Structure formats: C-alpha cells, structure tokens
PDB file of all heavy atoms in Angstrom:
ATOM      1  N   ASN A   1      -0.384   9.266  -8.068  1.00 89.00           N
ATOM      2  CA  ASN A   1       0.912   8.992  -7.420  1.00 89.00           C
ATOM      3  C   ASN A   1       0.771   8.150  -6.170  1.00 89.00           C
ATOM      4  O   ASN A   1       1.695   8.053  -5.376  1.00 89.00           O
ATOM      5  CB  ASN A   1       1.611  10.297  -7.076  1.00 89.00           C
ATOM      6  CG  ASN A   1       1.993  11.074  -8.306  1.00 89.00           C
ATOM      7  OD1 ASN A   1       2.560  10.509  -9.230  1.00 89.00           O
ATOM      8  ND2 ASN A   1       1.700  12.370  -8.334  1.00 89.00           N
ATOM      9  N   GLY A   2      -0.407   7.561  -6.002  1.00 93.00           N
ATOM     10  CA  GLY A   2      -0.652   6.748  -4.813  1.00 93.00           C
ATOM     11  C   GLY A   2      -0.132   5.324  -4.928  1.00 93.00           C
ATOM     12  O   GLY A   2       0.139   4.831  -6.038  1.00 93.00           O
ATOM     13  N   PHE A   3      -0.030   4.662  -3.799  1.00 95.00           N
ATOM     14  CA  PHE A   3       0.504   3.297  -3.763  1.00 95.00           C
ATOM     15  C   PHE A   3      -0.336   2.309  -4.559  1.00 95.00           C
ATOM     16  O   PHE A   3       0.181   1.452  -5.287  1.00 95.00           O
ATOM     17  CB  PHE A   3       0.628   2.811  -2.313  1.00 95.00           C
ATOM     18  CG  PHE A   3       0.823   1.335  -2.191  1.00 95.00           C
ATOM     19  CD1 PHE A   3       1.992   0.729  -2.581  1.00 95.00           C
ATOM     20  CD2 PHE A   3      -0.215   0.534  -1.696  1.00 95.00           C
ATOM     21  CE1 PHE A   3       2.159  -0.664  -2.493  1.00 95.00           C
ATOM     22  CE2 PHE A   3      -0.066  -0.851  -1.602  1.00 95.00           C
ATOM     23  CZ  PHE A   3       1.121  -1.448  -1.992  1.00 95.00           C
ATOM     24  N   LEU A   4      -1.688   2.407  -4.433  1.00 96.00           N
ATOM     25  CA  LEU A   4      -2.541   1.429  -5.125  1.00 96.00           C
ATOM     26  C   LEU A   4      -2.425   1.524  -6.629  1.00 96.00           C
ATOM     27  O   LEU A   4      -2.409   0.511  -7.330  1.00 96.00           O
ATOM     28  CB  LEU A   4      -3.991   1.613  -4.649  1.00 96.00           C
ATOM     29  CG  LEU A   4      -4.227   1.226  -3.200  1.00 96.00           C
ATOM     30  CD1 LEU A   4      -5.640   1.643  -2.774  1.00 96.00           C
ATOM     31  CD2 LEU A   4      -4.019  -0.266  -2.976  1.00 96.00           C
ATOM     32  N   GLN A   5      -2.322   2.756  -7.143  1.00 95.00           N
ATOM     33  CA  GLN A   5      -2.122   2.933  -8.583  1.00 95.00           C
ATOM     34  C   GLN A   5      -0.766   2.397  -9.010  1.00 95.00           C
ATOM     35  O   GLN A   5      -0.636   1.746 -10.066  1.00 95.00           O
ATOM     36  CB  GLN A   5      -2.278   4.415  -8.966  1.00 95.00           C
ATOM     37  CG  GLN A   5      -2.154   4.670 -10.446  1.00 95.00           C
ATOM     38  CD  GLN A   5      -3.270   3.963 -11.248  1.00 95.00           C
ATOM     39  OE1 GLN A   5      -4.454   4.219 -11.054  1.00 95.00           O
ATOM     40  NE2 GLN A   5      -2.892   3.061 -12.157  1.00 95.00           N
ATOM     41  N   ALA A   6       0.248   2.647  -8.187  1.00 95.00           N
ATOM     42  CA  ALA A   6       1.583   2.143  -8.478  1.00 95.00           C
ATOM     43  C   ALA A   6       1.595   0.607  -8.487  1.00 95.00           C
ATOM     44  O   ALA A   6       2.241  -0.022  -9.349  1.00 95.00           O
ATOM     45  CB  ALA A   6       2.572   2.667  -7.455  1.00 95.00           C
ATOM     46  N   LEU A   7       0.882  -0.008  -7.540  1.00 97.00           N
ATOM     47  CA  LEU A   7       0.808  -1.462  -7.492  1.00 97.00           C
ATOM     48  C   LEU A   7       0.080  -1.998  -8.749  1.00 97.00           C
ATOM     49  O   LEU A   7       0.521  -2.995  -9.354  1.00 97.00           O
ATOM     50  CB  LEU A   7       0.051  -1.893  -6.223  1.00 97.00           C
ATOM     51  CG  LEU A   7      -0.133  -3.393  -6.017  1.00 97.00           C
ATOM     52  CD1 LEU A   7       1.224  -4.097  -5.921  1.00 97.00           C
ATOM     53  CD2 LEU A   7      -0.956  -3.671  -4.753  1.00 97.00           C
ATOM     54  N   GLU A   8      -0.976  -1.316  -9.149  1.00 96.00           N
ATOM     55  CA  GLU A   8      -1.670  -1.712 -10.371  1.00 96.00           C
ATOM     56  C   GLU A   8      -0.733  -1.628 -11.581  1.00 96.00           C
ATOM     57  O   GLU A   8      -0.705  -2.534 -12.439  1.00 96.00           O
ATOM     58  CB  GLU A   8      -2.913  -0.839 -10.602  1.00 96.00           C
ATOM     59  CG  GLU A   8      -3.682  -1.194 -11.839  1.00 96.00           C
ATOM     60  CD  GLU A   8      -4.820  -0.246 -12.139  1.00 96.00           C
ATOM     61  OE1 GLU A   8      -5.348   0.385 -11.197  1.00 96.00           O
ATOM     62  OE2 GLU A   8      -5.180  -0.084 -13.337  1.00 96.00           O
ATOM     63  N   ASN A   9       0.042  -0.533 -11.661  1.00 95.00           N
ATOM     64  CA  ASN A   9       0.976  -0.368 -12.767  1.00 95.00           C
ATOM     65  C   ASN A   9       1.974  -1.520 -12.797  1.00 95.00           C
ATOM     66  O   ASN A   9       2.300  -2.046 -13.885  1.00 95.00           O
ATOM     67  CB  ASN A   9       1.742   0.962 -12.618  1.00 95.00           C
ATOM     68  CG  ASN A   9       0.822   2.170 -12.733  1.00 95.00           C
ATOM     69  OD1 ASN A   9      -0.288   2.078 -13.239  1.00 95.00           O
ATOM     70  ND2 ASN A   9       1.300   3.306 -12.235  1.00 95.00           N
ATOM     71  N   ARG A  10       2.468  -1.903 -11.664  1.00 96.00           N
ATOM     72  CA  ARG A  10       3.446  -3.006 -11.591  1.00 96.00           C
ATOM     73  C   ARG A  10       2.806  -4.309 -12.050  1.00 96.00           C
ATOM     74  O   ARG A  10       3.394  -5.072 -12.815  1.00 96.00           O
ATOM     75  CB  ARG A  10       3.988  -3.133 -10.160  1.00 96.00           C
ATOM     76  CG  ARG A  10       4.628  -4.442  -9.793  1.00 96.00           C
ATOM     77  CD  ARG A  10       5.970  -4.673 -10.467  1.00 96.00           C
ATOM     78  NE  ARG A  10       6.358  -6.088 -10.372  1.00 96.00           N
ATOM     79  CZ  ARG A  10       7.536  -6.574 -10.673  1.00 96.00           C
ATOM     80  NH1 ARG A  10       8.470  -5.769 -11.127  1.00 96.00           N
ATOM     81  NH2 ARG A  10       7.775  -7.863 -10.592  1.00 96.00           N
ATOM     82  N   VAL A  11       1.603  -4.611 -11.541  1.00 96.00           N
ATOM     83  CA  VAL A  11       0.939  -5.877 -11.888  1.00 96.00           C
ATOM     84  C   VAL A  11       0.648  -5.929 -13.370  1.00 96.00           C
ATOM     85  O   VAL A  11       0.836  -6.980 -14.015  1.00 96.00           O
ATOM     86  CB  VAL A  11      -0.340  -6.054 -11.035  1.00 96.00           C
ATOM     87  CG1 VAL A  11      -1.178  -7.220 -11.554  1.00 96.00           C
ATOM     88  CG2 VAL A  11       0.012  -6.258  -9.565  1.00 96.00           C
ATOM     89  N   LYS A  12       0.210  -4.821 -13.934  1.00 95.00           N
ATOM     90  CA  LYS A  12      -0.068  -4.805 -15.371  1.00 95.00           C
ATOM     91  C   LYS A  12       1.197  -4.981 -16.200  1.00 95.00           C
ATOM     92  O   LYS A  12       1.173  -5.579 -17.286  1.00 95.00           O
ATOM     93  CB  LYS A  12      -0.759  -3.483 -15.749  1.00 95.00           C
ATOM     94  CG  LYS A  12      -2.230  -3.416 -15.374  1.00 95.00           C
ATOM     95  CD  LYS A  12      -2.840  -2.066 -15.776  1.00 95.00           C
ATOM     96  CE  LYS A  12      -4.322  -2.060 -15.542  1.00 95.00           C
ATOM     97  NZ  LYS A  12      -4.900  -0.736 -15.879  1.00 95.00           N
ATOM     98  N   THR A  13       2.296  -4.460 -15.697  1.00 94.00           N
ATOM     99  CA  THR A  13       3.568  -4.513 -16.450  1.00 94.00           C
ATOM    100  C   THR A  13       4.224  -5.884 -16.331  1.00 94.00           C
ATOM    101  O   THR A  13       4.736  -6.427 -17.310  1.00 94.00           O
ATOM    102  CB  THR A  13       4.552  -3.444 -15.903  1.00 94.00           C
ATOM    103  OG1 THR A  13       3.918  -2.182 -15.955  1.00 94.00           O
ATOM    104  CG2 THR A  13       5.826  -3.412 -16.716  1.00 94.00           C
ATOM    105  N   ARG A  14       4.244  -6.462 -15.120  1.00 95.00           N
ATOM    106  CA  ARG A  14       5.014  -7.664 -14.874  1.00 95.00           C
ATOM    107  C   ARG A  14       4.173  -8.875 -14.427  1.00 95.00           C
ATOM    108  O   ARG A  14       4.722  -9.936 -14.160  1.00 95.00           O
ATOM    109  CB  ARG A  14       6.105  -7.405 -13.816  1.00 95.00           C
ATOM    110  CG  ARG A  14       7.090  -6.306 -14.232  1.00 95.00           C
ATOM    111  CD  ARG A  14       7.927  -6.701 -15.441  1.00 95.00           C
ATOM    112  NE  ARG A  14       8.717  -7.892 -15.162  1.00 95.00           N
ATOM    113  CZ  ARG A  14       9.880  -7.911 -14.551  1.00 95.00           C
ATOM    114  NH1 ARG A  14      10.437  -6.761 -14.153  1.00 95.00           N
ATOM    115  NH2 ARG A  14      10.537  -9.015 -14.351  1.00 95.00           N
ATOM    116  N   ASN A  15       2.874  -8.684 -14.267  1.00 96.00           N
ATOM    117  CA  ASN A  15       1.934  -9.767 -13.896  1.00 96.00           C
ATOM    118  C   ASN A  15       2.071 -10.258 -12.466  1.00 96.00           C
ATOM    119  O   ASN A  15       1.371 -11.202 -12.059  1.00 96.00           O
ATOM    120  CB  ASN A  15       2.085 -10.960 -14.846  1.00 96.00           C
ATOM    121  CG  ASN A  15       1.792 -10.594 -16.274  1.00 96.00           C
ATOM    122  OD1 ASN A  15       0.850  -9.858 -16.533  1.00 96.00           O
ATOM    123  ND2 ASN A  15       2.621 -11.051 -17.211  1.00 96.00           N
ATOM    124  N   HIS A  16       2.942  -9.685 -11.673  1.00 97.00           N
ATOM    125  CA  HIS A  16       3.022 -10.051 -10.257  1.00 97.00           C
ATOM    126  C   HIS A  16       3.727  -8.920  -9.501  1.00 97.00           C
ATOM    127  O   HIS A  16       4.387  -8.067 -10.116  1.00 97.00           O
ATOM    128  CB  HIS A  16       3.747 -11.371 -10.037  1.00 97.00           C
ATOM    129  CG  HIS A  16       5.225 -11.296 -10.270  1.00 97.00           C
ATOM    130  ND1 HIS A  16       5.782 -11.277 -11.524  1.00 97.00           N
ATOM    131  CD2 HIS A  16       6.267 -11.222  -9.377  1.00 97.00           C
ATOM    132  CE1 HIS A  16       7.104 -11.197 -11.418  1.00 97.00           C
ATOM    133  NE2 HIS A  16       7.419 -11.169 -10.115  1.00 97.00           N
ATOM    134  N   ALA A  17       3.595  -8.953  -8.171  1.00 97.00           N
ATOM    135  CA  ALA A  17       4.259  -7.939  -7.350  1.00 97.00           C
ATOM    136  C   ALA A  17       4.452  -8.483  -5.933  1.00 97.00           C
ATOM    137  O   ALA A  17       3.657  -9.323  -5.466  1.00 97.00           O
ATOM    138  CB  ALA A  17       3.445  -6.634  -7.293  1.00 97.00           C
ATOM    139  N   VAL A  18       5.507  -7.982  -5.262  1.00 98.00           N
ATOM    140  CA  VAL A  18       5.775  -8.345  -3.870  1.00 98.00           C
ATOM    141  C   VAL A  18       5.887  -7.035  -3.074  1.00 98.00           C
ATOM    142  O   VAL A  18       6.621  -6.117  -3.448  1.00 98.00           O
ATOM    143  CB  VAL A  18       7.076  -9.157  -3.738  1.00 98.00           C
ATOM    144  CG1 VAL A  18       7.406  -9.401  -2.262  1.00 98.00           C
ATOM    145  CG2 VAL A  18       6.955 -10.478  -4.480  1.00 98.00           C
ATOM    146  N   VAL A  19       5.138  -6.966  -1.971  1.00 98.00           N
ATOM    147  CA  VAL A  19       5.070  -5.762  -1.135  1.00 98.00           C
ATOM    148  C   VAL A  19       5.514  -6.126   0.283  1.00 98.00           C
ATOM    149  O   VAL A  19       4.994  -7.091   0.854  1.00 98.00           O
ATOM    150  CB  VAL A  19       3.632  -5.171  -1.081  1.00 98.00           C
ATOM    151  CG1 VAL A  19       3.610  -3.923  -0.246  1.00 98.00           C
ATOM    152  CG2 VAL A  19       3.101  -4.927  -2.495  1.00 98.00           C
ATOM    153  N   ILE A  20       6.428  -5.353   0.828  1.00 98.00           N
ATOM    154  CA  ILE A  20       6.843  -5.482   2.247  1.00 98.00           C
ATOM    155  C   ILE A  20       6.332  -4.248   2.980  1.00 98.00           C
ATOM    156  O   ILE A  20       6.560  -3.124   2.527  1.00 98.00           O
ATOM    157  CB  ILE A  20       8.358  -5.582   2.403  1.00 98.00           C
ATOM    158  CG1 ILE A  20       8.905  -6.819   1.683  1.00 98.00           C
ATOM    159  CG2 ILE A  20       8.752  -5.634   3.866  1.00 98.00           C
ATOM    160  CD1 ILE A  20      10.434  -6.853   1.622  1.00 98.00           C
ATOM    161  N   VAL A  21       5.686  -4.442   4.126  1.00 98.00           N
ATOM    162  CA  VAL A  21       5.252  -3.313   4.933  1.00 98.00           C
ATOM    163  C   VAL A  21       5.694  -3.520   6.361  1.00 98.00           C
ATOM    164  O   VAL A  21       5.541  -4.600   6.929  1.00 98.00           O
ATOM    165  CB  VAL A  21       3.713  -3.103   4.845  1.00 98.00           C
ATOM    166  CG1 VAL A  21       2.952  -4.338   5.323  1.00 98.00           C
ATOM    167  CG2 VAL A  21       3.289  -1.863   5.612  1.00 98.00           C
ATOM    168  N   ALA A  22       6.315  -2.497   6.957  1.00 97.00           N
ATOM    169  CA  ALA A  22       6.678  -2.544   8.386  1.00 97.00           C
ATOM    170  C   ALA A  22       5.431  -2.267   9.208  1.00 97.00           C
ATOM    171  O   ALA A  22       4.557  -1.501   8.804  1.00 97.00           O
ATOM    172  CB  ALA A  22       7.745  -1.491   8.677  1.00 97.00           C
ATOM    173  N   GLU A  23       5.347  -2.893  10.366  1.00 95.00           N
ATOM    174  CA  GLU A  23       4.106  -2.844  11.161  1.00 95.00           C
ATOM    175  C   GLU A  23       3.729  -1.443  11.572  1.00 95.00           C
ATOM    176  O   GLU A  23       2.542  -1.153  11.813  1.00 95.00           O
ATOM    177  CB  GLU A  23       4.252  -3.716  12.408  1.00 95.00           C
ATOM    178  CG  GLU A  23       5.334  -3.271  13.375  1.00 95.00           C
ATOM    179  CD  GLU A  23       5.425  -4.134  14.599  1.00 95.00           C
ATOM    180  OE1 GLU A  23       4.364  -4.544  15.148  1.00 95.00           O
ATOM    181  OE2 GLU A  23       6.551  -4.406  15.047  1.00 95.00           O
ATOM    182  N   GLY A  24       4.710  -0.515  11.648  1.00 95.00           N
ATOM    183  CA  GLY A  24       4.378   0.845  12.078  1.00 95.00           C
ATOM    184  C   GLY A  24       4.086   1.789  10.929  1.00 95.00           C
ATOM    185  O   GLY A  24       3.797   2.976  11.160  1.00 95.00           O
ATOM    186  N   ALA A  25       4.111   1.299   9.711  1.00 95.00           N
ATOM    187  CA  ALA A  25       3.844   2.161   8.553  1.00 95.00           C
ATOM    188  C   ALA A  25       2.351   2.489   8.488  1.00 95.00           C
ATOM    189  O   ALA A  25       1.500   1.737   8.932  1.00 95.00           O
ATOM    190  CB  ALA A  25       4.283   1.450   7.283  1.00 95.00           C
ATOM    191  N   GLY A  26       2.063   3.634   7.888  1.00 93.00           N
ATOM    192  CA  GLY A  26       0.686   3.977   7.578  1.00 93.00           C
ATOM    193  C   GLY A  26      -0.251   4.174   8.752  1.00 93.00           C
ATOM    194  O   GLY A  26      -1.476   4.096   8.609  1.00 93.00           O
ATOM    195  N   GLN A  27       0.291   4.463   9.930  1.00 91.00           N
ATOM    196  CA  GLN A  27      -0.582   4.636  11.096  1.00 91.00           C
ATOM    197  C   GLN A  27      -1.430   5.904  10.986  1.00 91.00           C
ATOM    198  O   GLN A  27      -2.402   6.060  11.717  1.00 91.00           O
ATOM    199  CB  GLN A  27       0.242   4.656  12.386  1.00 91.00           C
ATOM    200  CG  GLN A  27       0.900   3.318  12.705  1.00 91.00           C
ATOM    201  CD  GLN A  27      -0.086   2.174  12.863  1.00 91.00           C
ATOM    202  OE1 GLN A  27      -0.990   2.261  13.707  1.00 91.00           O
ATOM    203  NE2 GLN A  27       0.041   1.145  12.047  1.00 91.00           N
ATOM    204  N   ASN A  28      -1.045   6.791  10.051  1.00 86.00           N
ATOM    205  CA  ASN A  28      -1.852   7.990   9.830  1.00 86.00           C
ATOM    206  C   ASN A  28      -3.251   7.658   9.301  1.00 86.00           C
ATOM    207  O   ASN A  28      -4.176   8.454   9.417  1.00 86.00           O
ATOM    208  CB  ASN A  28      -1.144   8.934   8.845  1.00 86.00           C
ATOM    209  CG  ASN A  28      -0.783   8.249   7.543  1.00 86.00           C
ATOM    210  OD1 ASN A  28       0.031   7.318   7.540  1.00 86.00           O
ATOM    211  ND2 ASN A  28      -1.337   8.698   6.427  1.00 86.00           N
ATOM    212  N   PHE A  29      -3.409   6.473   8.739  1.00 88.00           N
ATOM    213  CA  PHE A  29      -4.729   6.065   8.236  1.00 88.00           C
ATOM    214  C   PHE A  29      -5.713   5.791   9.390  1.00 88.00           C
ATOM    215  O   PHE A  29      -6.924   5.672   9.169  1.00 88.00           O
ATOM    216  CB  PHE A  29      -4.629   4.806   7.392  1.00 88.00           C
ATOM    217  CG  PHE A  29      -3.779   5.003   6.151  1.00 88.00           C
ATOM    218  CD1 PHE A  29      -2.786   4.072   5.835  1.00 88.00           C
ATOM    219  CD2 PHE A  29      -3.959   6.084   5.329  1.00 88.00           C
ATOM    220  CE1 PHE A  29      -2.008   4.217   4.719  1.00 88.00           C
ATOM    221  CE2 PHE A  29      -3.168   6.253   4.188  1.00 88.00           C
ATOM    222  CZ  PHE A  29      -2.193   5.319   3.877  1.00 88.00           C
ATOM    223  N   PHE A  30      -5.199   5.684  10.621  1.00 86.00           N
ATOM    224  CA  PHE A  30      -6.042   5.279  11.744  1.00 86.00           C
ATOM    225  C   PHE A  30      -6.155   6.387  12.799  1.00 86.00           C
ATOM    226  O   PHE A  30      -6.463   6.093  13.964  1.00 86.00           O
ATOM    227  CB  PHE A  30      -5.479   4.025  12.403  1.00 86.00           C
ATOM    228  CG  PHE A  30      -5.155   2.896  11.453  1.00 86.00           C
ATOM    229  CD1 PHE A  30      -3.868   2.646  11.054  1.00 86.00           C
ATOM    230  CD2 PHE A  30      -6.176   2.118  10.951  1.00 86.00           C
ATOM    231  CE1 PHE A  30      -3.561   1.614  10.183  1.00 86.00           C
ATOM    232  CE2 PHE A  30      -5.884   1.088  10.072  1.00 86.00           C
ATOM    233  CZ  PHE A  30      -4.580   0.841   9.690  1.00 86.00           C
ATOM    234  N   GLU A  31      -5.961   7.627  12.369  1.00 79.00           N
ATOM    235  CA  GLU A  31      -5.929   8.720  13.352  1.00 79.00           C
ATOM    236  C   GLU A  31      -7.252   8.883  14.091  1.00 79.00           C
ATOM    237  O   GLU A  31      -7.274   9.342  15.221  1.00 79.00           O
ATOM    238  CB  GLU A  31      -5.551  10.038  12.636  1.00 79.00           C
ATOM    239  CG  GLU A  31      -4.060  10.098  12.303  1.00 79.00           C
ATOM    240  CD  GLU A  31      -3.694  11.333  11.496  1.00 79.00           C
ATOM    241  OE1 GLU A  31      -4.629  12.064  11.076  1.00 79.00           O
ATOM    242  OE2 GLU A  31      -2.487  11.559  11.284  1.00 79.00           O
ATOM    243  N   LYS A  32      -8.340   8.503  13.454  1.00 75.00           N
ATOM    244  CA  LYS A  32      -9.649   8.672  14.107  1.00 75.00           C
ATOM    245  C   LYS A  32      -9.996   7.524  15.051  1.00 75.00           C
ATOM    246  O   LYS A  32     -10.974   7.601  15.785  1.00 75.00           O
ATOM    247  CB  LYS A  32     -10.741   8.796  13.037  1.00 75.00           C
ATOM    248  CG  LYS A  32     -10.637  10.072  12.222  1.00 75.00           C
ATOM    249  CD  LYS A  32     -11.749  10.183  11.205  1.00 75.00           C
ATOM    250  CE  LYS A  32     -11.615  11.476  10.387  1.00 75.00           C
ATOM    251  NZ  LYS A  32     -12.643  11.588   9.334  1.00 75.00           N
ATOM    252  N   LYS A  33      -9.170   6.492  15.043  1.00 77.00           N
ATOM    253  CA  LYS A  33      -9.406   5.346  15.930  1.00 77.00           C
ATOM    254  C   LYS A  33      -8.955   5.710  17.338  1.00 77.00           C
ATOM    255  O   LYS A  33      -8.004   6.445  17.530  1.00 77.00           O
ATOM    256  CB  LYS A  33      -8.595   4.144  15.450  1.00 77.00           C
ATOM    257  CG  LYS A  33      -9.070   3.606  14.107  1.00 77.00           C
ATOM    258  CD  LYS A  33      -9.780   2.278  14.331  1.00 77.00           C
ATOM    259  CE  LYS A  33     -10.157   1.653  12.989  1.00 77.00           C
ATOM    260  NZ  LYS A  33     -10.950   0.432  13.167  1.00 77.00           N
ATOM    261  N   GLU A  34      -9.671   5.173  18.333  1.00 75.00           N
ATOM    262  CA  GLU A  34      -9.281   5.380  19.717  1.00 75.00           C
ATOM    263  C   GLU A  34      -7.941   4.739  20.013  1.00 75.00           C
ATOM    264  O   GLU A  34      -7.699   3.592  19.626  1.00 75.00           O
ATOM    265  CB  GLU A  34     -10.361   4.788  20.640  1.00 75.00           C
ATOM    266  CG  GLU A  34     -10.058   4.987  22.123  1.00 75.00           C
ATOM    267  CD  GLU A  34     -11.047   4.227  23.007  1.00 75.00           C
ATOM    268  OE1 GLU A  34     -12.012   3.643  22.471  1.00 75.00           O
ATOM    269  OE2 GLU A  34     -10.813   4.189  24.234  1.00 75.00           O
ATOM    270  N   LYS A  35      -7.056   5.483  20.679  1.00 76.00           N
ATOM    271  CA  LYS A  35      -5.723   4.942  20.993  1.00 76.00           C
ATOM    272  C   LYS A  35      -5.814   3.990  22.175  1.00 76.00           C
ATOM    273  O   LYS A  35      -6.430   4.280  23.191  1.00 76.00           O
ATOM    274  CB  LYS A  35      -4.745   6.091  21.292  1.00 76.00           C
ATOM    275  CG  LYS A  35      -4.314   6.840  20.050  1.00 76.00           C
ATOM    276  CD  LYS A  35      -3.238   7.888  20.399  1.00 76.00           C
ATOM    277  CE  LYS A  35      -2.641   8.493  19.143  1.00 76.00           C
ATOM    278  NZ  LYS A  35      -3.594   9.111  18.262  1.00 76.00           N
TER     279      LYS A  35
END
C-alpha cells in the first residue's frame, strides 16, 4: 500500500505518471536529521 508500489502500478498500467509533492510533505522521513 506504499507510494512506490502505487507509482509502479500506475506506470505499468498507463506507461507514464505525474506526481506533485508539496515541500513540507514527508518530513517524517528525516526525523533523525539534525534540525
């Protein structure tokens, strides 16, 4: 149910994909980084 698998599903189905990400999204991935 992750984003990367979903992106792969889209590319396999339609041969292309467009992704928009806001700059503040996914900051939880950097919790170990010094603020």
Side-chain angles (χ1 to χ4, degrees):
N1 294 313
F3 165 69
L4 292 172
Q5 183 61 61
L7 181 60
E8 180 186 333
N9 295 342
R10 162 71 196 190
V11 170
K12 283 180 174 178
T13 305
R14 299 296 299 276
N15 299 318
H16 72 283
V18 175
V19 181
I20 299 172
V21 59
E23 63 179 320
Q27 293 301 302
N28 54 296
F29 298 131
F30 310 102
E31 285 175 352
K32 293 182 180 177
K33 293 252 185 186
E34 180 187 354
K35 286 185 171 57

